Amino acid sequence: GRLATLVLLAAALAAPARAQVADWPSERPPAPLVAHEVHFPPYEMRTLDNGLRIVIVPHHEEPAVSLRLLIEAGGAQDSPRKPGVANLMASVMDQGTATRSAEDIQRTIDDIGGALGVGAGTDLSFVNAVVMKPDFDLALDLVSDVARNAAFAPQEIERQRRQLLSSLRVSRDDPEYIADTVFDRLVYGFHPYGRPSSGTAESIPTITRDDLVAFHDRYFAPNNAILAIVGDVTTEEALAGAVRVFGNWPRRDVDLPDMGEPPPPTRRVVVIDRPGAVQTEIRVGLIGVPRRSPDYMALNLAIKVLGGEGANRLQRVLRSERGLTYGASADFDTLRQSGDIEAQTNTRSSATGEALRVIVDEFSRLRRERVNRAELEGAQDYLAGSFPLTIETPSQIALQILNHVFYGIDLKNLDDFPERVNAVTPGDIQRVAEKYVQPDRLSIVLVGDADQFVSQLKGAGFDRYERVSLDQLDLDQPDLKRVPGGGPAPPAPVAAAPAAAATAASPGATARGRELIERAIAAKGGVDALRAIRTVKATATTTLSMPQGPIAVETTTYIAYPDRFRVEARSPSGTLVQVYDAGQAWLRDPNGVREAPTAMRDEFAASVARDLVPLLLRVHDGQAEAHALPDVTGETGRTLSAVEVSGAGADPVTVLIDPGSGQAVGERYTMSGPNGSRDEVEEIYADYRAVDGVQVPFSAVVRRQGTAILQRALHTFELNAPLAPGLFTKPS
């Protein structure tokens, strides 16, 4: 379980570590430096005879090249009866082609130190690669092969299907996901933008290989694609490479279905009832404008004043003035055909009505009152000042260009972006607010324990609302309620962890506990195989649930048993390195290298102690005790055996075991929370695969206090790989 927990620590403990800084100066910060002039690098646009549009940006500041192939079709083009086809199709594209296996693809990109990614969004699908300059031709070959020749092997489809369904089960217990999904459904109605592009628990099992192949054949064509090549190449090299791998891609007639217009904004208040919840997730908003709208810039700044970076009225009123929440924001999401404005926060159940009233009043204020110059300048300073950070690397430049080409925006807009930001006036903000912000037509979603707050709604001005039980929620129905007899309710979440016994376990519980652990050892590969593990190297994509929304980071983890590890987490904001070395711990981030705070070091040590492999072996060797606990109900309704492992100076850990296979499928334990509390944490493991005789879970979910906060999907896993000397040594 250590691979999942370590990334959790990066997010869960970084904030407390920063909070330990004392005596923060109270005087105002110095004035910002004068912004230096920003120039977008020169670019060239070409179109091949088959219709493929190519954007080339020579950028020689680093010896790397970014390739991004974008297909103009995504989840919005799914059949209404089968949402999730584009998402499943894209997830399988790099899992084997006509001439390369999934392992071949992964090994090829790993051997050159590059990165390859596939995926699908609402309006598009993509294949991306980043490599060093000498491997440019190989990267072109890989991108072309994955995009054009995906094999869609049945076994890979089933593996990805299981992962998607597992993720949906986790999301079903995440109030933020529920609130966001229902909000999209209210704003966009039955328009394709209102469907979850990742699919549903009902649709994903019905998707066939033929569906994936049909989607690929219909939309993957050069005349429906854009290729961006950015980095340490000349225009001639880039064009020649593109012609070599894509020049023979046959043109095809592509008929994008007419999606129609989203419905006009209409006031609707929906309460999703989650009995027992102590907080209410709140979403408030309405339809906006598409990305290419001439009002985009002014409306974007207006929403930043409402709840975005540089201003954020919602944060000031809800948190600073009234103490109703830890954070509040408003986002302006734009798509190809439309967009939406969404304010979001969460609050204690008893304050739901008050917080909702404040949010709606701030929408009204934005429309009613002219914004002051200082607020607008704060939002402008953030937007213009952060722009240079979005064009630092070849991948970032490629993304900016593709966005503009895809949305039909003049690329010249990139050259004068700061000037256009600063040209917006308070009068412009007033005009777009009056045009688009309609406080009497807001879509409102409240997810929480309805019994605790619905009595507040009438007094807050919301006497008409719809109440929907979570287990009856169905986005395909006009009233959002499952039709009686229309299928089973979603599986219940894993039951709460049983409390540790207050008295000594009975001899029978001890014997049963050891028996279950021995079964888990055998299922995982056997004592000899586990003892033979000396090192681990693994790569993964880890998705963290953060206040601003899900954040995906690419991680590489190195473990040297018994007590050393290193985790490298890479995100758009930089790379974070965490290292634990036999009781010592240090960190490295863009600000430099430093000792890990005591609380973080202690949690690192605890994660080492509960690593599943040595944990099982300690019980086998008699160095730890195992006691059977009452069985629990798993997330799919199955019964799981529970064994508490304690002793050897470590905190107790409850191991969850599948009684059928004997495989350990989860762990439960406590870890430090805010204000000295101890939070309940649960890790659930799935998608076991054999690696050198050891069964390894390639999928994991972590819940803290019942809320899913992390999902991890392994890409590669190597046992006993040689690790570089000094990997765990703190730099001087």
Side-chain angles (χ1 to χ4, degrees):
R2 201 191 305 183
L3 292 175
T5 310
L6 295 182
V7 182
L8 162 66
L9 294 173
L13 296 178
R18 291 191 294 270
Q20 294 169 1
V21 178
D23 299 322
W24 190 259
S26 59
E27 63 268 16
R28 293 178 62 83
L33 298 175
V34 177
H36 64 276
E37 203 170 343
V38 177
H39 296 287
F40 196 83
Y43 54 85
E44 297 236 7
M45 290 208 53
R46 304 290 178 90
T47 301
L48 301 187
D49 292 341
N50 58 10
L52 177 65
R53 287 163 289 169
I54 305 173
V55 185
I56 303 170
V57 186
H59 186 71
H60 305 291
E61 294 187 7
E62 54 184 73
V65 184
S66 170
L67 306 173
R68 288 179 177 264
L69 179 68
L70 185 152
I71 306 297
E72 299 188 52
Q77 281 68 49
D78 285 340
S79 163
R81 296 181 300 277
K82 288 190 178 182
V85 169
N87 186 53
L88 182 56
M89 181 276 305
S91 69
V92 182
M93 282 197 301
D94 65 344
Q95 300 302 303
T97 68
T99 58
R100 291 181 171 96
S101 68
E103 292 77 11
D104 290 337
I105 293 171
Q106 190 63 56
R107 188 182 307 111
T108 299
I109 198 70
D110 285 347
D111 286 348
I112 62 176
L116 180 72
V118 295
T122 302
D123 282 323
L124 55 86
S125 305
F126 62 85
V127 182
N128 299 336
V130 180
V131 296
M132 303 304 287
K133 166 64 183 294
D135 302 305
F136 171 59
D137 287 334
L138 177 57
L140 276 170
D141 291 336
L142 280 175
V143 169
S144 175
D145 195 23
V146 166
R148 299 174 57 185
N149 305 313
F152 300 115
Q155 67 271 20
E156 296 296 343
I157 295 173
E158 292 310 311
R159 184 171 64 82
Q160 293 294 329
R161 191 197 310 272
R162 289 195 301 270
Q163 290 186 3
L164 288 172
L165 289 171
S166 176
S167 177
L168 281 175
R169 283 194 293 270
V170 172
S171 298
R172 189 79 187 193
D173 198 39
D174 181 356
E176 295 184 25
Y177 172 85
I178 297 166
D180 290 336
T181 303
V182 175
F183 176 81
D184 286 344
R185 169 66 174 76
L186 294 193
V187 170
Y188 292 108
F190 288 107
H191 187 275
Y193 287 171
R195 298 194 300 257
S197 60
S198 58
T200 67
E202 293 76 25
S203 69
I204 290 175
T206 70
I207 297 173
T208 67
R209 181 180 185 276
D210 288 345
D211 293 327
L212 308 188
V213 173
F215 187 98
H216 185 273
D217 288 348
R218 182 175 184 181
Y219 296 116
F220 275 62
N223 47 306
N224 195 42
I226 310 166
L227 174 66
I229 303 175
V230 183
D232 192 17
V233 292
T234 65
T235 300
E236 292 74 20
E237 289 173 323
L239 186 60
V243 170
R244 179 178 64 83
V245 299
F246 290 112
N248 63 348
W249 193 3
R251 187 186 186 101
R252 184 183 301 122
D253 290 336
V254 177
D255 181 21
L256 290 172
D258 182 8
M259 294 189 290
E261 293 295 326
T266 304
R267 177 148 177 179
R268 190 174 181 184
V269 181
V270 172
V271 175
I272 306 298
D273 186 18
R274 295 181 73 242
V278 297
Q279 288 191 323
T280 306
E281 285 290 335
I282 302 176
R283 302 293 184 270
V284 179
L286 73 169
I287 204 79
V289 298
R291 177 62 181 85
R292 66 176 299 172
S293 167
D295 288 332
Y296 168 79
M297 182 65 75
L299 189 55
N300 188 20
L301 285 165
I303 303 310
K304 281 190 164 30
V305 171
L306 175 65
E309 300 88 346
N312 202 337
R313 290 176 173 179
L314 291 175
Q315 175 84 349
R316 183 173 67 252
V317 177
L318 286 168
R319 177 175 179 171
S320 302
E321 296 179 7
R322 302 212 187 184
L324 297 175
T325 183
Y326 286 109
S329 63
D331 297 311
F332 181 35
D333 296 324
T334 54
L335 296 165
R336 196 169 195 177
Q337 186 173 319
S338 186
D340 62 83
I341 300 162
E342 178 182 10
Q344 57 182 327
T345 190
N346 54 48
T347 189
R348 59 189 182 276
S349 299
S350 60
T352 301
E354 181 183 359
L356 177 58
R357 184 70 262 167
V358 168
I359 294 173
V360 174
D361 286 347
E362 288 301 323
F363 271 93
S364 297
R365 180 185 167 204
L366 185 66
R367 177 187 174 95
R368 183 180 65 250
E369 299 178 6
R370 193 182 186 91
V371 301
N372 64 61
R373 173 65 67 177
E375 283 183 304
L376 177 55
E377 288 180 350
Q380 289 171 318
D381 287 346
Y382 174 85
L383 197 57
S386 62
F387 178 69
L389 302 179
T390 68
I391 56 171
E392 287 187 323
T393 68
S395 291
Q396 291 173 318
I397 295 170
L399 185 60
Q400 286 278 9
I401 288 178
L402 279 177
N403 279 338
H404 278 64
V405 175
F406 177 77
Y407 289 116
I409 304 168
D410 193 336
L411 281 172
K412 293 180 180 178
N413 285 354
L414 288 168
D415 296 324
D416 60 354
F417 181 83
E419 290 80 4
R420 290 187 299 106
V421 170
N422 292 320
V424 175
T425 67
D428 295 326
I429 302 295
Q430 186 71 27
R431 177 182 60 81
V432 296
E434 291 177 353
K435 184 176 182 180
Y436 299 108
V437 178
Q438 303 177 57
D440 59 337
R441 297 187 179 184
L442 293 172
S443 293
I444 297 171
V445 180
L446 306 171
V447 181
D449 190 339
D451 287 341
Q452 302 300 314
F453 66 77
V454 291
S455 61
Q456 307 164 28
L457 297 182
K458 184 174 182 179
F462 307 95
D463 54 347
R464 298 180 61 184
Y465 60 87
E466 303 164 61
R467 180 168 172 169
V468 181
S469 174
L470 177 59
D471 61 3
Q472 291 300 311
L473 177 63
D474 187 345
L475 299 178
D476 288 333
Q477 302 304 320
D479 63 357
L480 302 176
K481 295 180 181 179
R482 188 183 304 275
V483 176
V494 177
T503 58
S506 67
T510 300
R512 175 61 174 161
R514 289 190 61 86
E515 175 189 348
L516 288 168
I517 292 298
E518 291 299 332
R519 282 201 67 200
I521 291 173
K524 197 160 180 64
V527 171
D528 292 341
L530 300 190
R531 287 199 199 284
I533 300 175
R534 296 289 179 264
T535 66
V536 168
K537 178 183 177 183
T539 62
T541 297
T542 303
T543 303
L544 304 169
S545 296
M546 304 294 282
Q548 64 270 36
I551 296 178
V553 295
E554 300 301 317
T555 61
T556 303
T557 302
Y558 307 88
I559 299 176
Y561 286 104
D563 53 9
R564 294 191 295 171
F565 67 73
R566 176 188 179 106
V567 180
E568 299 172 358
R570 296 171 296 281
S571 72
S573 59
T575 298
L576 171 67
V577 177
Q578 300 173 322
V579 176
Y580 182 81
D581 184 7
Q584 304 299 314
W586 56 272
L587 311 173
R588 187 180 73 203
D589 59 23
N591 295 321
V593 177
R594 64 184 186 280
E595 294 288 338
T598 301
M600 185 178 287
R601 184 199 63 204
D602 291 346
E603 286 295 349
F604 284 176
S607 74
V608 170
R610 60 178 172 257
D611 188 317
L612 190 59
V613 170
L615 186 75
L616 297 175
L617 291 176
R618 284 200 301 274
V619 175
H620 177 83
D621 295 337
Q623 298 173 356
E625 299 178 352
H627 308 298
L629 298 173
D631 290 346
V632 301
T633 301
E635 58 182 355
T636 60
R638 59 181 173 167
T639 299
L640 299 177
S641 302
V643 182
E644 182 185 82
V645 177
S646 59
D651 292 337
V653 178
T654 298
V655 181
L656 305 178
I657 298 172
D658 185 326
S661 66
Q663 194 67 259
V665 294
E667 288 181 280
R668 292 172 175 172
Y669 50 88
T670 63
M671 67 185 300
S672 296
N675 303 319
S677 65
R678 295 297 293 179
D679 289 350
E680 297 288 339
V681 179
E682 176 183 71
E683 299 182 31
I684 298 297
Y685 314 130
D687 192 18
Y688 270 91
R689 307 183 206 174
V691 179
D692 296 338
V694 176
Q695 290 292 324
V696 177
F698 270 62
S699 175
V701 176
V702 179
R703 298 186 181 94
R704 188 169 188 168
Q705 295 293 84
T707 299
I709 58 175
L710 177 153
Q711 298 181 51
R712 183 215 69 207
L714 283 178
H715 302 310
T716 63
F717 190 92
E718 300 177 64
L719 292 175
N720 299 322
L723 302 184
L727 193 64
F728 309 101
T729 304
K730 179 184 176 185
S732 58

